[in-house]
Amino acid sequence: MGNVMMEGKPSKPKQPQTAKYINRDLSWIEFNRRVLEEAQDGSTPLLERIKFLSIVSTNLDEFMSVRAAGLTDQVKAGYNKADFTGYTPDGLLRRIRKRTGNMVQDQYRTYRELTRTLGKEGLVFAAYDDLNASQKKQMDRYYHDIVYPVLTPMAVDQSRPFPLVHSLHLYLAVVLQKERDREDEEPYFAIVQVPSNLSRTIQVPGRSNSVKMTYIMLEDLIETHIQSLFAGYTALAVHPFRLTRNADLTLNEEGAEDLLEEIEKELRRRRWGSPVRLEAAKGIHPYALDLLKEELEIADNTFLIEGPLDLSFLMKFAATLPGFDAFRYPKLEPGYPREFEETDDLFEALRTGDMLLYHPYESFAAVDDFLEQAATDPAVMAIKMTLYRVSGNSALVQSLARAAEAGKQVTVVVELKARFDEERNIAWARKLEKAGCHVVYGLVGLKTHAKITLVVRQEEDGLRRYVHVGTGNYNGSTARLYTDIGLFTTHPDVGDDATVLFNEMTGYSTPHDWKAFGVAPADMKAKLFALIRREAEHAAAGRPARIIAKMNALSHQEMVDELYAASQAGVKIDLIVRGVCCLKPGVPGLSENITVRSIVDRFLEHSRLFSFDNGGEPQVWLSSADWMTRNLTRRIELMCPVVDLRLRDIVLQILRLSLMDNVKARQLQPNGQYVRANNALTPFRSQFEALDVVTWKQWRP
């Protein structure tokens, strides 16, 4: 149950000549391996390890359907130009296949180890044949009552062409023989989709006097009863398979009269995206495998796996399993910010000073409550907000709808092109429009990724603007799982910039000389370059010069070069980059003053925070943008200064916590590998230190 094989033996790609950079896609594979290491870490609670194993699968699915798919398209088109890291699409694709093949092999080895450990703790994954007569009878009843009615066998022959195989869905390939046929006659072939609306894991009634909980896989139950679907035929072989298609949307925004309708069309076309990966059970019948590869037109990226395909089911299994809290992290109950807790008037609280929220340690309910009060407050004139990814039952959307129905001016910039959330965002957009909100879909050719809310309120001394800026999405669900920062402020410069930013997103407006913000694609890159170069000038003059930057990814070549130049000028640079990093730290003469660390732990590190020493007068920014080409040049992004000195110190403390981590932090080496930042000092786990209530209150005197 722990093997994976790649079909064929790809030729070994040549090493790229460029040595200054790490390739983005290979760096991503290293990140996913760090996630896998969390599943392998015996100090992590057992069911949390199961979750990490699931995340490896979902990460890899997205990588294959977007990044590998794009490279596959380039190879098919004959594009063979090397990128700035020295890799051609063909050479990079071959290396990706080799490394992901090794990773999946490691993943299933880990799966085998974890299921053995689960068995020792009373959780058993069993085969149908391992059940006793009573258990088999009950599983037979479950199959005939629940499963059988929703199954649809799809035969493939001259009158019935090969059916559409949906991306990332599980199927069974069935090789059949008529009962009267000779054994040497060509077999028949059919596929059966494993219902995605039924649980992959089915609990089996326990044996008498047994405390164990036993589960079987849905596909195994169907395979056992496959004969019920093919009367008059004998099943020679039944094996699962799964296809990954190109899921990247290709939109003609300029030619689209209605962007919403165009995206809906593309979502339908996504079902027919070109195949990029085929996963099949190891030992699959050769006739079935050859037919699948021929019909799906895929040969080079076929994985043969011993074990359940698509381990993403483990996330729901581990999260919903009752009675095993001892094998999970202790439940976190986010604190409610005392600034809001001590008053019924949130606007009054914000007038006394800016406020910082640190999720998930502080509750996202504070943002919900802010919008709810804005929706019902008669003094509020207008609400403007960007929505990129929202949760399924978003309180924010409900508040926006109520505000519009109450006659307030409500403007919502909804990003319809948020990958894999397009359908959900279309639904929210229609609901908001129906309630009377002005819904805008952003600017042509740019994704709106900035996270900002503007509330305009009529007060005794005139109009006042209340602004919330965040590093993460307005999503109450992910706010419990991601580390993010949110800033509430009434600073006049921030309010002015917020007004202009929304005017640019919703109307016609010339480029603006921003008072506080840095905005992509207009000037954020230039502003960051200026801040980095200023640190170099401070270093040259002997003044304090240091950069601490925390983000999800760093892959923009010019940005990497700017950091190299600052390092050579003597600036100490500490980068906390969770995922992709194309910069090579610690290279003599190039980057010896740069360190790069990645933290993979219980919560997804998601905040983007930038600190510049500025000769002893530190400046701190929070942002929606990673330092990637797409963020700096093809998205509407925002970075906002933290002006309040008390809040600035809190952000600096958060950054220092990450730099002190010697348990879950890994340091990037010049060769592109990561090693744990462990040392002989007392263990320090940054996320657990942030969880400490006493420490947290000390930051907020």
Side-chain angles (χ1 to χ4, degrees):
M1 290 177 64
N3 251 339
V4 60
M5 296 194 315
M6 281 289 294
E7 279 283 287
K9 293 183 178 180
S11 58
K12 188 176 182 180
K14 295 180 180 179
Q15 289 285 348
Q17 298 300 311
T18 307
K20 286 175 61 177
Y21 311 102
I22 298 170
N23 179 267
R24 168 182 169 171
D25 295 309
L26 300 183
S27 179
W28 181 91
I29 293 172
E30 287 300 312
F31 159 65
N32 209 33
R33 183 162 285 283
R34 295 194 292 280
V35 178
L36 178 57
E37 287 174 1
E38 290 304 302
Q40 297 167 336
D41 188 341
S43 67
T44 300
L46 182 56
L47 291 181
E48 305 294 342
R49 295 172 66 186
I50 292 290
K51 290 181 182 179
F52 279 114
L53 202 61
S54 169
I55 294 169
V56 172
S57 287
T58 52
N59 283 350
L60 195 55
D61 285 347
E62 182 171 349
F63 178 77
M64 285 293 178
S65 62
V66 178
R67 296 298 302 175
L71 291 168
T72 301
D73 287 346
Q74 290 181 27
V75 171
K76 288 180 179 178
Y79 183 83
N80 206 36
K81 184 178 178 181
D83 63 16
F84 75 91
T85 66
Y87 282 93
T88 63
D90 183 57
L92 180 57
L93 199 54
R94 290 199 300 269
R95 180 152 292 199
I96 285 172
R97 288 168 181 159
K98 179 179 180 181
R99 292 198 185 183
T100 54
N102 291 337
M103 181 190 300
V104 174
Q105 185 174 10
D106 227 8
Q107 181 189 17
Y108 276 86
R109 186 183 302 116
T110 305
Y111 171 79
R112 183 177 67 242
E113 294 170 358
L114 288 179
T115 51
R116 274 204 305 265
T117 306
L118 284 173
K120 294 176 183 177
E121 299 297 341
L123 282 170
V124 178
F125 284 94
Y128 179 86
D129 289 342
D130 295 331
L131 306 180
N132 63 29
S134 174
Q135 290 173 319
K136 287 180 179 179
K137 185 176 180 180
Q138 293 183 72
M139 286 298 98
D140 293 345
R141 185 181 303 117
Y142 179 88
Y143 171 80
H144 289 290
D145 292 349
I146 305 297
V147 182
Y148 176 76
V150 298
L151 296 178
T152 303
M154 293 175 282
V156 178
D157 55 29
Q158 290 182 339
S159 63
R160 289 168 289 195
F162 201 88
L164 172 67
V165 175
H166 295 280
S167 184
L168 303 179
H169 282 251
L170 189 62
Y171 292 82
L172 295 177
V174 187
V175 180
L176 300 155
Q177 184 181 50
K178 268 190 178 180
E179 293 177 352
R180 297 178 181 176
D181 283 354
R182 300 193 313 270
E183 291 186 5
D184 60 347
E185 291 191 21
E186 184 172 314
Y188 296 85
F189 182 77
I191 68 173
V192 178
Q193 183 173 349
V194 177
S196 57
N197 53 357
L198 295 178
S199 174
R200 279 281 301 279
T201 56
I202 306 165
Q203 186 173 358
V204 182
R207 299 172 185 264
S208 58
N209 301 321
S210 174
V211 295
K212 289 188 175 182
M213 296 176 64
T214 302
Y215 292 84
I216 66 170
M217 301 298 296
L218 176 60
E219 59 267 32
D220 292 344
L221 185 62
I222 298 172
E223 179 183 347
T224 300
H225 296 84
I226 199 70
Q227 207 64 46
S228 67
L229 299 173
F230 300 100
Y233 292 79
T234 300
L236 302 178
V238 184
H239 290 103
F241 74 93
R242 184 171 180 257
L243 181 69
T244 305
R245 295 183 181 273
N246 187 332
D248 211 13
L249 290 180
T250 304
L251 294 172
N252 177 19
E253 292 187 51
E254 294 186 6
E257 294 184 11
D258 188 318
L259 183 59
L260 187 146
E261 289 185 3
E262 182 68 19
I263 289 178
E264 287 181 319
K265 292 177 184 176
E266 279 297 326
L267 288 174
R268 289 192 290 270
R269 284 195 286 269
R270 182 184 275 176
R271 301 173 189 170
W272 288 273
S274 58
V276 294
R277 177 183 61 166
L278 175 64
E279 299 167 280
K282 185 180 179 182
I284 185 173
H285 194 287
Y287 179 82
L289 181 60
D290 291 343
L291 186 61
L292 288 172
K293 291 166 69 173
E294 179 183 353
E295 292 289 345
L296 299 173
E297 298 181 351
I298 187 167
D300 296 332
N301 206 22
T302 301
F303 291 78
L304 301 181
I305 294 172
E306 187 176 359
L309 305 188
D310 181 17
L311 296 181
S312 64
F313 76 90
L314 292 171
M315 176 63 75
K316 185 176 181 180
F317 175 79
T320 59
L321 195 66
F324 283 82
D325 288 346
F327 300 99
R328 298 184 175 96
Y329 286 122
K331 189 175 182 181
L332 170 67
E333 288 297 338
Y336 194 81
R338 73 162 185 252
E339 295 93 331
F340 279 6
E341 198 169 36
E342 296 172 353
T343 180
D344 293 329
D345 186 349
L346 307 189
F347 295 112
E348 180 184 16
L350 294 176
R351 283 194 296 272
T352 64
D354 292 355
M355 190 176 91
L356 199 72
L357 293 175
Y358 188 17
H359 309 298
Y361 313 107
E362 289 191 301
S363 176
F364 190 79
V367 181
D368 290 338
D369 292 346
F370 172 73
L371 260 293
E372 183 179 4
Q373 181 170 328
T376 57
D377 188 337
V380 169
M381 310 295 292
I383 303 173
K384 301 183 181 185
M385 189 175 189
T386 59
L387 288 181
Y388 190 75
R389 299 187 199 274
V390 293
S391 55
N393 54 346
S394 175
L396 295 176
V397 172
Q398 309 297 333
S399 293
L400 292 170
R402 281 196 299 272
E405 290 165 352
K408 303 182 189 303
Q409 292 291 312
V410 180
T411 304
V412 188
V413 181
V414 178
E415 181 47 72
L416 296 179
K417 302 183 293 297
R419 184 177 291 136
F420 303 121
D421 276 329
E422 298 95 344
E423 291 180 87
R424 179 182 295 170
N425 285 5
I426 287 171
W428 287 129
R430 289 201 163 119
K431 180 173 183 176
L432 291 167
E433 284 179 328
K434 188 176 180 180
C437 299
H438 300 293
V439 179
V440 179
Y441 303 135
L443 300 176
V444 171
L446 300 174
K447 279 188 178 181
T448 304
H449 194 248
K451 292 85 169 67
I452 181 170
T453 300
L454 170 64
V455 173
V456 182
R457 190 171 187 268
Q458 179 67 58
E459 300 183 353
E460 290 183 2
D461 55 350
L463 291 177
R464 187 185 298 267
R465 285 171 289 202
Y466 297 81
V467 179
H468 175 272
V469 177
T471 65
N473 298 311
Y474 287 111
N475 188 313
S477 297
T478 56
R480 298 180 69 93
L481 304 171
Y482 297 3
T483 66
D484 271 307
I485 300 292
L487 172 70
F488 283 107
T489 182
T490 59
H491 195 288
D493 288 348
V494 173
D496 286 346
D497 281 0
T499 298
V500 174
L501 178 61
F502 276 104
N503 289 345
E504 286 197 358
M505 289 189 288
T506 62
Y508 296 106
S509 183
T510 56
H512 179 62
D513 185 14
W514 304 99
K515 297 179 181 179
F517 289 169
V519 176
D523 79 329
M524 184 187 291
K525 182 174 72 170
K527 183 163 285 189
L528 286 167
F529 286 178
L531 291 169
I532 294 169
R533 291 168 186 168
R534 187 182 66 182
E535 291 302 305
E537 293 172 3
H538 285 309
R543 295 186 291 269
R546 187 184 186 188
I547 299 170
I548 307 175
K550 185 176 187 294
M551 65 198 78
N552 300 324
L554 168 59
S555 63
H556 186 56
Q557 183 183 4
E558 291 178 73
M559 183 65 72
V560 172
D561 290 340
E562 288 288 338
L563 293 170
Y564 283 157
S567 170
Q568 292 165 33
V571 180
K572 178 174 172 53
I573 302 172
D574 292 301
L575 302 175
I576 307 153
V577 186
R578 185 196 76 220
V580 169
C581 183
C582 294
L583 178 148
K584 287 188 175 183
V587 177
L590 178 70
S591 58
E592 65 264 40
N593 288 318
I594 303 177
T595 66
V596 178
R597 60 178 47 216
S598 168
I599 297 174
V600 179
D601 202 346
R602 173 181 181 176
F603 303 117
L604 182 78
E605 294 286 339
H606 193 253
S607 53
R608 292 93 167 188
L609 306 171
F610 316 138
S611 163
F612 301 88
D613 256 18
N614 189 31
E617 299 180 7
Q619 290 185 339
V620 169
W621 304 74
L622 59 86
S623 179
S624 62
D626 296 312
W627 290 356
M628 305 177 72
T629 302
R630 70 184 187 191
N631 298 89
L632 299 175
T633 64
R634 299 195 300 273
R635 290 184 172 188
I636 298 175
E637 300 276 13
L638 170 65
M639 69 177 198
C640 176
V642 179
V643 179
D644 184 288
L645 296 183
R646 182 176 61 90
L647 302 187
R648 182 199 68 183
D649 289 345
I650 291 174
V651 175
L652 288 172
Q653 180 71 354
I654 292 170
L655 290 171
R656 292 189 194 107
L657 283 180
S658 295
L659 294 178
M660 293 168 66
D661 194 307
N662 58 16
V663 176
K664 291 299 183 179
R666 282 90 160 172
Q667 284 199 264
L668 176 59
Q669 306 302 299
N671 64 1
Q673 302 298 307
Y674 285 78
V675 299
R676 287 191 181 269
N678 293 346
N679 51 46
L681 301 176
T682 302
F684 189 93
R685 193 167 175 176
S686 57
Q687 289 191 0
F688 279 27
E689 293 298 322
L691 273 166
D692 190 290
V693 177
V694 176
T695 304
W696 176 240
K697 291 302 181 186
Q698 286 176 352
W699 297 354
R700 308 179 69 120

